[in-house]
């Protein structure tokens, strides 16, 4: 079926969904509201089935992150990465080790536990998608890990900014915490964006530096589980994000255009969170089960509390 045929076959409920997505471009719609709106429409069966929304979300998220690169100062990005490198590395290895111990203690399936730990340690669904084929994980193992991460991402989008304001965290401190302790890049950028532009820039830079660890962790996972290292997917959008930062730095005469791209990318990200919300259903939450969710919560609380303590003491 062609795109024109799909458009002609749109139902009134599908049009409601599309209008809601367009409304999310408006400045008065925040990331948490967009997520709730998507989840609400999904709960009432108002999500179109003729479009591959998962693939669309992945593409739009990549484009929005690349666009954010045009608003990042190169010198600030280098300094933020340098300061946060130790925290990134230590948090990744701490989470993976704790995940291995907790998986054994909970008597959870080893591959499911490892996928949840990898998603928590690096970047949520993207890490799970990269590691899953490398360890030859079954569809049900991957789905359980993704459902667990989706639930915690949704909570983080509301919880983290509230805690940040309660503790009166600075923009830089909150951006660092969000980048370390929230799973998916979408929720990291959504939470940080609602906190402020400086928090957004810090969080995006550190989060993508953290996301680069997908590759070595996926290779290590393939060796650990005797899987296939040739099936590892590389997040190329990170390369284009870095390229956008370089373009903005070395071709400064188009600064006003870069600001427009940066602002448009922030709004596009809100639409991405709406689409992510539309993929979260009650059945997915039920299928997550209590053990995978318990593991996810334990890892999340551990890395969240540990990184927050470090940031409050040393940043």
């Amino acid at each position: 079926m062609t795109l024109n045929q799909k458009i002609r076959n749109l139902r009134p409920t599908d049009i409601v969904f599309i209008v809601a997505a367009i409304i999310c471009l408006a400045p008065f719609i925040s990331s948490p509201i967009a997520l709730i709106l998507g989840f609400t429409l999904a709960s009432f069966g108002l999500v179109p089935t003729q479009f591959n929304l998962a693939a669309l979300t992945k593409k739009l998220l990549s484009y929005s992150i690349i666009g954010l690169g045009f608003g990042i100062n190169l010198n600030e990005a280098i300094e933020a990465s340098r300061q946060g490198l130790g925290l990134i590395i230590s948090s990744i290895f701490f989470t993976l080790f704790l995940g291995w111990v907790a998986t054994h203690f909970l008597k959870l399936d080893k591959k499911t536990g490892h996928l949840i730990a990898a998603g928590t340690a690096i970047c949520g669904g993207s890490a799970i998608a990269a590691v899953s084929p490398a360890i030859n994980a079954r569809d049900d193992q991957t789905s359980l890990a993704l459902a667990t991460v989706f639930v915690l991402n949704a909570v983080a989008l509301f919880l983290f900014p509230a805690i940040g304001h309660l503790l009166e965290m600075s923009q830089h401190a909150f951006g660092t915490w969000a980048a370390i302790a929230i799973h998916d890049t979408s929720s990291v950028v959504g939470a940080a964006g609602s906190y402020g532009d400086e928090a957004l820039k810090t969080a995006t830079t550190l989060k993508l530096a953290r996301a680069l660890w997908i590759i070595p962790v996926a290779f290590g996972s393939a060796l650990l589980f005797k899987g296939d290292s040739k099936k590892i997917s590389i997040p190329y959008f990170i390369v284009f994000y870095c390229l956008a930062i370089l373009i903005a730095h070395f071709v400064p005469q188009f600064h006003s255009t870069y600001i427009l791209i940066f602002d448009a990318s922030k709004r596009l990200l809100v639409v991405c969170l709406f689409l992510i919300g539309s993929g979260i259903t009650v059945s997915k939450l039920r299928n997550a089960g209590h053990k995978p969710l318990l593991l996810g919560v334990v890892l999340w609380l551990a890395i969240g509390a540990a990184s927050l303590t470090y940031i409050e003491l040393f940043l």
Side-chain angles (χ1 to χ4, degrees):
M1 185 182 294
T2 65
L3 179 61
N4 287 334
Q5 289 175 323
K6 290 180 179 179
I7 292 175
R8 284 197 296 268
N9 291 336
L10 284 176
R11 302 169 299 171
T13 52
D14 297 337
I15 296 174
V16 170
F17 181 87
I18 294 172
V19 170
I22 294 173
I23 291 175
C24 288
L25 290 169
F28 56 84
I29 301 294
S30 65
S31 298
I33 291 176
L35 189 76
I36 290 177
L37 182 58
F39 175 72
T40 301
L41 293 183
S43 300
F44 286 99
L46 300 178
V47 178
T49 56
Q50 60 267 58
F51 299 107
N52 188 344
L53 292 182
L56 176 62
T57 303
K58 186 177 181 180
K59 287 184 180 180
L60 290 181
L61 181 60
S62 298
Y63 296 152
S64 63
I65 290 172
I66 293 169
L68 291 177
F70 287 100
I72 305 295
N73 180 278
L74 177 61
N75 295 324
E76 292 177 357
I78 293 174
E79 181 61 20
S81 298
R82 185 187 65 81
Q83 290 181 353
L85 184 60
L87 184 58
I88 289 171
I89 295 174
S90 58
S91 66
I92 288 173
F93 283 98
F94 168 73
T95 306
L96 290 173
F97 174 74
L98 182 60
W100 178 76
V101 173
T103 296
H104 179 75
F105 180 79
L106 291 171
K107 296 181 180 179
L108 182 64
D109 174 76
K110 290 182 179 179
K111 288 187 178 181
T112 302
H114 183 71
L115 289 175
I116 294 172
T120 306
I122 307 173
C123 55
S126 298
I128 293 170
V131 173
S132 178
I135 65 174
N136 295 322
R138 301 190 309 270
D139 287 344
D140 62 303
Q141 294 167 328
T142 304
S143 297
L144 282 173
L146 286 172
T148 300
V149 166
F150 281 153
V151 172
L152 298 181
N153 269 320
V155 175
L157 204 56
F158 297 91
L159 185 62
F160 272 64
I163 294 175
H165 287 299
L166 181 65
L167 297 178
E168 298 181 348
M169 297 178 71
S170 68
Q171 294 274 320
H172 177 72
F174 181 82
T176 302
W177 186 42
I180 297 298
I182 300 179
H183 307 74
D184 273 338
T185 303
S186 57
S187 291
V188 170
V189 179
S194 67
Y195 204 80
D197 276 355
E198 184 183 343
L200 173 63
K201 293 175 182 179
T202 300
T204 305
T205 301
L206 289 180
K207 182 61 179 177
L208 295 183
R210 184 179 164 202
L212 288 172
W213 283 82
I214 285 179
I215 301 169
V217 168
F219 274 113
S221 300
L223 294 174
L224 181 64
F225 287 89
K226 298 180 181 180
D228 188 356
S229 60
K230 295 180 180 180
K231 293 183 179 180
I232 296 170
S233 58
I234 300 173
Y236 289 106
F237 70 88
I238 299 176
V239 177
F240 291 106
Y241 168 81
C242 295
L243 182 61
I245 296 176
L246 292 174
I247 292 173
H249 180 77
F250 290 108
V251 192
Q253 55 265 40
F254 299 106
H255 178 72
S256 58
T257 302
Y258 301 149
I259 295 300
L260 290 175
I261 296 174
F262 178 76
D263 290 339
S265 298
K266 287 195 295 182
R267 296 316 311 168
L268 183 60
L269 181 72
V270 176
V271 176
C272 290
L273 287 165
F274 165 77
L275 295 175
I276 289 171
S278 69
I280 303 174
T281 61
V282 175
S283 61
K284 282 186 178 181
L285 301 183
R286 287 174 180 168
N287 290 338
H290 71 280
K291 281 190 177 181
L293 188 58
L294 180 58
L295 174 62
V297 170
V298 168
L299 295 179
W300 190 42
L301 290 177
I303 190 60
S307 58
L308 178 60
T309 301
Y310 176 88
I311 290 167
E312 289 289 281
L313 290 177
F314 300 107
L315 286 188

